[in-house]
């Protein structure tokens, strides 16, 4: 479904992604793990067209998207939940969800999706008229994920969804990730510092160091890999 081939992305003069190659099959949850500054967020920004690569190829359903605008990438079926749960703080929960559907015209279906999201996250239904900025951190993350889902993505990119959340919210977010994947067969590309939880939920994983993939394999293999254990699992 998604193929990054020798992607090279720069921030100004600094090359962050160095010959990055990743493949994601339809229906999978893949996770990308790596230390601070490895280039995980930059990878998601390259896929979503926010920081296009300077060289290499990104194929979605076999078609190159490395020069496509961010809006057209959303329209093609890829949505990003950015790091730091960036919702619209002054808009209500309902208005935030509407913003996620800004490219859609199928109003009856949009209503259905809102109802589905309120089933996934009952707390958001209770808070539907409350301003986004007044929600707790965990609730804001739920809203950020929900807003991305309102675009009906086939591929959902999640940047550190569990960051800064307490254990109960962390578990809830990972349960929801699994549910989104199994119920609607949404393919998920998960960036996480919580390598343990990420590898538990994912089918396959990639380890990134300094803009390069240094290890890849089934999530189970990575969970039991000695280097991964030492560097990312703290065992
Ligand atoms: N807008 C920017 N301008 C210049 N350098 C940047 C910019 N964004 C990121 N970088 C640099 O690119 C490198 C990779 O950053 P990136 O945010 O992709 O890492 P990351 O793996 O997501 O890290 P973290 O786990 O801390 O979120 C870092 O060295 C960072 O300082
Ligand atoms: Mg990051």
């Amino acid at each position: 479904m998604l193929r990054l081939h020798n992607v090279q992305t720069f921030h100004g003069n600094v090359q962050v992604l160095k010959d990055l190659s990743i493949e994601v099959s339809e229906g999978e949850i893949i996770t990308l793990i790596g230390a601070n500054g490895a280039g995980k967020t930059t990878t998601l920004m390259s896929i979503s067209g926010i920081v296009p690569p300077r060289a290499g190829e990104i194929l979605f359903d076999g078609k190159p998207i490395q020069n496509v605008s961010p809006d057209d990438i959303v329209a093609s079926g890829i949505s990003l939940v950015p790091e730091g749960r960036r919702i619209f703080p002054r808009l209500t929960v309902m208005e935030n969800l509407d913003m996620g559907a800004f490219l859609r015209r199928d109003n009856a279906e949009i209503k259905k999706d809102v109802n589905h999201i309120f089933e996934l996250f009952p707390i958001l239904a209770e808070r539907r008229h409350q301003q986004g900025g007044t929600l707790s951190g965990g609730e804001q993350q739920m809203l950020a994920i929900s807003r991305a889902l309102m675009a009906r993505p086939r591929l959902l990119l999640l940047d550190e969804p569990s960051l800064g959340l307490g254990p109960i919210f962390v578990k809830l977010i990972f349960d929801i990730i699994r549910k989104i994947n199994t119920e609607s067969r949404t393919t998920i590309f998960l960036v996480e510092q919580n390598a343990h939880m990420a590898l538990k939920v994912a089918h396959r994983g990639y380890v990134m160091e300094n803009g390069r993939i240094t290890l890849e394999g089934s999530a189970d293999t990575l969970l039991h890999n000695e280097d991964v254990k030492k560097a990312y699992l703290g065992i």
Side-chain angles (χ1 to χ4, degrees), residues 149-163:
L149 288 176
M150 286 304 294
R152 281 209 179 168
R154 289 174 48 226
L155 174 63
L156 183 65
L157 312 174
L158 294 165
D159 198 350
E160 312 254 15
S162 80
L163 191 72

Side-chain angles (χ1 to χ4, degrees), residues 40-41 83 159-160 191:
K40 304 181 299 296
T41 296
E83 209 171 1
D159 198 350
E160 312 254 15
V191 163

Side-chain angles (χ1 to χ4, degrees), residues 30-45 79-86 137-138 140-142 144-145 156-166 169-171 173-174 177 188-198 201 206 208 232:
I30 77 117
T31 185
L32 176 64
I33 57 181
N36 289 120
K40 304 181 299 296
T41 296
T42 306
T43 302
L44 296 186
M45 287 183 161
S79 290
L80 168 68
V81 181
E83 209 171 1
R85 35 182 176 272
R86 265 172 275 144
Q140 288 188 26
Q141 186 57 274
M142 293 179 198
I145 294 172
L156 183 65
L157 312 174
L158 294 165
D159 198 350
E160 312 254 15
S162 80
L163 191 72
L165 302 184
F169 273 119
V170 170
K171 186 177 178 306
I173 294 289
F174 280 99
I177 291 170
I188 294 180
F189 190 129
L190 171 66
V191 163
E192 260 297 335
Q193 299 243 346
N194 191 334
H196 184 76
M197 292 292 273
V201 77
Y206 290 84
M208 180 177 220
Y232 304 105

Side-chain angles (χ1 to χ4, degrees), residues 64-81:
I65 57 164
Q66 68 269 15
N67 296 313
V68 174
S69 74
D71 274 6
D72 288 341
I73 287 178
V74 174
S76 78
I78 302 178
S79 290
L80 168 68
V81 181

